[in-house]
Amino acid sequence: IGLLSNIKMLDISFNKLNRSIPSTFSGLSSVLTLELSSNHFSGTIPSSLGELVELRLLNLEKNQRLNGTIPHTLGNLKNLV
């Protein structure tokens, strides 16, 4: 997934994915929308998502197995709405 550096939107919601969120998402350097909702992601939110400086929408809702704190690096995402 990290090799898709020119992709603008990635929607993998409602896929029943049941692993941790891959840190390789940080390779999506041009992504504006990252839809990860309604899966079964577990573990913590990777701090590497803070490298997606173009990101405008990050949707992690309905992933009840996520735990931990929100990484401070997400504060780098100045374009989030």
Side-chain angles (χ1 to χ4, degrees):
I1 287 181
L3 299 176
L4 302 171
S5 60
N6 292 322
I7 196 167
K8 299 296 182 192
M9 178 183 156
L10 180 64
D11 185 347
I12 56 172
S13 54
F14 297 97
N15 280 292
K16 298 181 182 177
L17 300 173
N18 62 358
R19 54 167 294 178
S20 60
I21 298 172
S23 60
T24 55
F25 279 155
S26 64
L28 301 172
S29 56
S30 298
V31 74
L32 302 175
T33 301
L34 188 54
E35 281 280 356
L36 306 177
S37 65
S38 300
N39 282 294
H40 300 287
F41 284 119
S42 60
T44 59
I45 300 169
S47 61
S48 59
L49 291 181
E51 297 172 24
L52 302 175
V53 295
E54 300 297 323
L55 197 62
R56 294 184 183 160
L57 178 86
L58 174 62
N59 190 349
L60 296 169
E61 70 178 328
K62 297 185 181 175
N63 281 292
Q64 290 86 356
R65 296 179 184 166
L66 287 175
N67 57 46
T69 59
I70 297 172
H72 70 277
T73 55
L74 294 188
N76 298 334
L77 304 177
K78 306 295 183 195
N79 295 319
L80 282 181
V81 277

